[in-house]
Amino acid sequence: MSDAGQWFAEPPIRGWQQRFQVRERLFVGDSPYQHVEVLDTVPFGRMLTLDGAAQTTEADEHVYHEMLVHVPLFQHPTPRRVLIIGGGDGGTLRRVLQHPVALAVNVEIDELVVRAAREHLPGISAGAFDDPRAQVIIGDGAHFLQETELRFDVILVDSTDPVGAAKALFSADFFRSARRALAPGGLYAMQSGSPLLQSAELAEVARALASVFPSVRTYLASIPAYPGVLWSFTLAARDGALELPPQAELERRLAASGIQTGYYTPEVHRAAFALPAFVAALVRGEPRVAGHPLPGR
Ligand code: AG3
């Protein structure tokens, strides 16, 4: 069945919406957690949507996954054990396994997301689920963190927006159990939403993380399929202050890894932490820069 001429649009956020022309609807299904679709779109190729929100597309998944993974994994001098919470499409797992890690545990709550992505978006995981260093657990990430005896060098949270099932992944309680599961020198990174359209959520993440971790820094990337394009991630350190490695050191780590990237570079790593004044104000807990109101406020 052809869906050409159809458009997909997310539910509006603060009266704002963007839409994608759809060639074909490849998968539609409902799990106990959410409504799952894979669409073939004209601008970005295949796209995974969860409860009507664009999660990842073939065209720009590399931006999100490289920035969620390579920034913390090159920031850490020797990441060996990595935990991923969410990330059922496998794009995060794949980027983690490009590093010389010994173990990558991926806890995803929704088995249907893994199944739909493996079948209809195989290029995103690109074999990662079959890597012997990967341990994929279908289960609740918050529960896993409370119970696990393992200690990780890096914990990554690749979640949906902070609503519904994912809300628990944005709370101080969750951040506390994440910090407990980090090894000394460990790093925690998460996607933290649109600074323009989810500014209150980003401010809350920064506040709650700073109540648990001694050092927290926001960084940015441009992700075309996400609302507002400009996107935030937040990095937190279990111990001490987060200092960006010098350019030459990041270059050395990237070269030693042999990883090929489409977005991440050592320059981008460092530049991503340069925040526009309004984002810096937001994460400092100031609602706006005087005289420069934010959209939707
Ligand atoms: N998870 C973050 C997607 C957030 C997008 N939000 C939205 N479209 N409203 C992406 C999962 C990729 N592994």
Side-chain angles (χ1 to χ4, degrees):
M1 176 191 70
S2 167
D3 297 290
Q6 304 259 18
W7 290 78
F8 161 77
E10 291 201 16
I13 305 177
R14 295 171 184 261
W16 188 98
Q17 204 169 39
Q18 74 182 9
R19 57 188 200 142
F20 309 79
Q21 195 175 358
V22 174
R23 263 193 221 103
E24 201 182 340
R25 207 165 229 100
L26 299 167
F27 177 87
V28 181
D30 285 290
S31 75
Y33 302 100
Q34 56 208 342
H35 181 72
V36 182
E37 294 195 14
V38 180
L39 309 172
D40 187 17
T41 74
V42 172
F44 296 119
R46 293 186 180 193
M47 169 193 278
L48 172 70
T49 73
L50 299 178
D51 282 344
Q55 297 300 314
T56 199
T57 79
E58 288 179 317
D60 70 356
E61 63 89 17
H62 68 283
V63 181
Y64 175 89
H65 291 125
E66 288 180 13
M67 291 302 279
L68 178 61
V69 173
H70 294 330
V71 169
L73 270 79
F74 283 124
Q75 179 77 29
H76 192 293
T78 49
R80 292 292 174 259
R81 289 172 169 216
V82 178
L83 172 66
I84 302 159
I85 293 184
D89 53 67
T92 296
L93 181 63
R94 170 183 161 206
R95 292 337 187 281
V96 167
L97 292 168
Q98 291 177 326
H99 293 257
V101 298
L103 174 71
V105 179
N106 192 345
V107 185
E108 161 63 51
I109 201 164
D110 195 346
E111 189 263 328
L112 186 62
V113 175
V114 178
R115 199 145 39 89
R118 286 191 78 159
E119 183 166 347
H120 298 286
L121 292 158
I124 291 187
S125 54
F129 290 117
D130 302 317
D131 189 297
R133 295 170 296 157
Q135 191 184 324
V136 179
I137 298 171
I138 300 299
D140 179 333
H143 184 74
F144 176 88
L145 269 183
Q146 279 160 8
E147 304 283 301
T148 187
E149 297 298 326
L150 293 169
R151 294 295 175 264
F152 297 93
D153 299 309
V154 179
I155 298 178
L156 304 173
V157 179
D158 180 8
S159 71
T160 51
D161 292 340
V163 290
K167 210 167 166 71
L169 307 182
F170 291 78
S171 68
D173 274 353
F174 177 80
F175 300 150
R176 264 188 291 277
S177 43
R179 181 159 187 251
R180 191 191 60 85
L182 282 171
L187 297 175
Y188 173 87
M190 65 187 288
Q191 79 89 4
S192 44
S194 162
L196 294 160
L197 298 159
Q198 299 166 330
S199 50
E201 290 84 350
L202 173 57
E204 174 53 24
V205 159
R207 194 200 59 74
L209 276 174
S211 74
V212 173
F213 289 90
S215 184
V216 177
R217 291 183 71 172
T218 302
Y219 63 100
L220 302 174
S222 296
I223 307 179
Y226 290 172
V229 179
L230 182 69
W231 209 254
S232 79
F233 301 85
T234 307
L235 180 66
R238 176 186 183 273
D239 312 294
L242 272 171
E243 301 290 351
L244 299 180
Q247 175 76 18
E249 176 58 19
L250 289 173
E251 269 159 22
R252 197 195 59 71
R253 291 180 190 178
L254 178 62
S257 75
I259 296 172
Q260 301 293 316
T261 61
Y263 188 91
Y264 177 92
T265 67
E267 276 110 328
V268 165
H269 182 133
R270 292 170 53 84
F273 290 85
L275 300 180
F278 83 93
V279 181
L282 258 180
V283 300
R284 277 200 306 265
E286 297 160 22
R288 67 177 70 186
V289 179
H292 296 79
L294 297 169
R297 287 181 166 266

